[in-house]
Amino acid sequence: RYSLQQGLRSSDLRVDAVGTGADAVERVCRDRPDAVVLDVRLPDMSGLDLFDRLREFDPRLPVVIITAFDAADTAIRAMKRGAFEVLIKPIDLDHLVGVVTRAVELSRLR
């Protein structure tokens, strides 16, 4: 089965995955990634709350948000907060790879 990690690795990008919002905050602060892909549903916090915390750390960090719940409302709130892009599940992995590649390119230009 084709996965996001396989698709991005083939694009010469390093991909790390974490399972919780707390782990994401720690990893972003430590590793300073070029972009973040973030699901709205996390076991320990709202993805939008995590997005706000990441923006406090680095307001220019491109964050791609993925959602399946209250898609329209979540997408509007995320875009108003400055999300790079909001994608609705089910996700087309080729499209996601393209979005993340653009986010990384933007980040590296900055």
Side-chain angles (χ1 to χ4, degrees), residues 42-105:
L42 299 171
D44 61 340
M45 69 176 68
S46 155
L48 291 179
D49 290 340
L50 173 58
F51 174 77
D52 292 339
R53 290 184 67 186
L54 296 178
R55 299 298 282 190
E56 288 173 11
F57 174 73
D58 183 354
R60 298 182 316 160
L61 177 66
V63 178
V64 177
I65 296 180
I66 298 174
T67 185
F69 303 97
D70 300 320
D73 181 56
T74 300
I76 291 167
R77 288 187 294 146
M79 294 306 288
K80 284 183 177 179
R81 290 175 172 174
F84 181 80
E85 189 153 344
V86 178
L87 302 175
I88 310 300
K89 292 179 186 178
I91 303 295
D92 176 87
L93 289 176
D94 289 329
H95 179 68
L96 178 57
V97 169
V99 168
V100 171
T101 300
R102 286 193 319 272
V104 168
E105 288 170 356

